[in-house]
Amino acid sequence: MGKNKLRKFAELEGNPLVLQYPFGVVRQSGFPLKGRWREEFFGNSNPIVLELGCGKGEYTVGLARQFPDKNFIGIDIKGARIWSGATAAMRDGMKNVAFVRTSIELLEYFFAPGEVSEIWITFPDPQMKKVNKRLTGTRFVEMYRRVLAPGGIIHLKTDSPFLFTYTSMMTGHNGMSIIESTSDLYSTLTPDDPILNIRTHYEQQWLDRGLTIKYLSFIPGDGKSLEEPPGADDIAPDTYRSYSRGYIECPQQLNKEQ
């Protein structure tokens, strides 16, 4: 392991915004903040918003700057990625940001039923061949429903035509309430919409090539078990090769780490 990674891991250990609990400990003793995030970590009663697969934490921190009346928690398994956002948030004294280093599949070990108000899924791997690993597949959305409060919202932001089509079919087949759906985000929303104020370098690469970003927000609700949509296996696969995620291009919100 390189010295730079070792340094980042050491700094994460001392960062109070980052929580790292081995799964064995959580499974045996439970997670102490489950059901008590607002009172014991944030010290307020504001809504909790998750970003799943947060990577370097740019989106988590960017949203937290725009919405100080909400608490934002980034989830990712890679500590070296989390370091960037966690370091920036601590440096700037942000009180409405946290990061949890864990697998998304373990979400229910960390959050109680109804504890989360919104979930953001930003540019995930579309997992075109593995629906069980797809973050908007029914397996994961069933899990999200168990931690979301009534009326809780899921946001998907993606460059993948495949994932956008699949998620649209899945939500439609299961009768979910759609809040916003667009296959061309930047030509649909008004320029002052806060969603447009956070733009990753990854997004900009696509926009510069004349391609589009897709956005879908929906309320998964509760009730009957979810079903995979008929015809999902026939969705045309994406034909491009994804760029790496990169940094966010909003220096007014998050300075790039050197």
Side-chain angles (χ1 to χ4, degrees):
M1 184 180 295
K3 291 183 178 180
N4 194 41
K5 272 194 174 182
L6 290 173
R7 174 181 61 83
K8 289 181 178 181
F9 286 142
E11 291 180 5
L12 285 178
E13 289 292 337
N15 189 324
L17 303 183
V18 180
L19 296 97
Q20 304 182 83
Y21 280 74
F23 176 58
V25 174
V26 172
R27 182 172 55 183
Q28 181 175 355
S29 306
F31 180 65
L33 293 176
K34 181 178 178 178
R36 297 192 288 272
W37 275 96
R38 293 178 181 86
E39 299 85 350
E40 297 189 14
F41 188 90
F42 293 110
N44 60 50
S45 59
N46 294 338
I48 291 175
V49 183
L50 307 183
E51 185 194 3
L52 305 183
C54 68
K56 296 178 183 294
E58 309 100 328
Y59 223 86
T60 299
V61 174
L63 287 169
R65 292 190 189 281
Q66 290 198 59
F67 302 101
D69 56 344
K70 295 181 180 181
N71 301 313
F72 292 86
I73 303 174
I75 312 288
D76 205 287
I77 194 64
K78 299 289 188 180
R81 295 176 185 170
I82 289 174
W83 176 87
S84 295
T87 299
M90 187 175 72
R91 177 196 66 209
D92 294 346
M94 299 181 72
K95 304 298 184 183
N96 65 330
V97 178
F99 292 91
V100 177
R101 184 182 178 189
T102 191
S103 168
I104 295 170
E105 295 187 355
L106 303 179
L107 209 61
E108 291 178 273
Y109 283 89
F110 293 87
F111 300 95
E115 190 170 19
V116 176
S117 295
E118 298 178 53
I119 291 175
W120 278 84
I121 306 170
T122 51
F123 300 99
D125 185 330
Q127 295 288 351
M128 290 180 282
K129 296 182 180 180
K130 299 177 180 178
V131 66
N132 281 340
K133 292 188 176 183
R134 201 172 297 156
L135 291 186
T136 59
T138 55
R139 170 175 172 252
F140 277 96
V141 175
E142 288 272 21
M143 179 179 65
Y144 306 153
R145 295 203 304 184
R146 294 192 288 271
V147 300
L148 280 170
I153 301 171
I154 296 174
H155 305 263
L156 170 67
K157 199 174 183 185
T158 181
D159 54 273
S160 167
F162 173 91
L163 187 62
F164 179 74
T165 300
Y166 166 81
T167 309
S168 298
M169 290 174 64
M170 189 279 296
T171 55
H173 179 67
N174 289 285
M176 298 178 186
S177 299
I178 305 301
I179 299 171
E180 183 87 43
S181 177
T182 174
S183 60
D184 189 354
L185 177 65
Y186 289 94
S187 69
T188 301
L189 301 186
T190 58
D192 60 347
D193 193 295
I195 295 173
L196 299 184
N197 291 338
I198 302 175
R199 181 180 301 183
T200 65
H201 176 66
Y202 181 45
E203 288 179 79
Q204 191 60 55
Q205 286 178 314
W206 281 104
L207 295 169
D208 288 345
R209 294 176 63 190
L211 301 176
T212 60
I213 304 301
K214 297 94 172 62
Y215 171 72
L216 178 67
S217 57
F218 58 96
I219 299 173
D222 51 21
K224 68 176 184 178
S225 296
L226 301 179
E227 299 177 348
E228 287 296 325
D233 291 341
D234 298 325
I235 300 172
D238 296 336
T239 57
Y240 60 83
R241 184 175 181 86
S242 293
Y243 292 106
S244 60
R245 183 164 179 171
Y247 282 98
I248 205 163
E249 290 199 339
C250 51
Q252 75 279 12
Q253 294 180 0
L254 178 61
N255 293 327
K256 295 181 180 180
E257 297 297 331
Q258 300 299 321

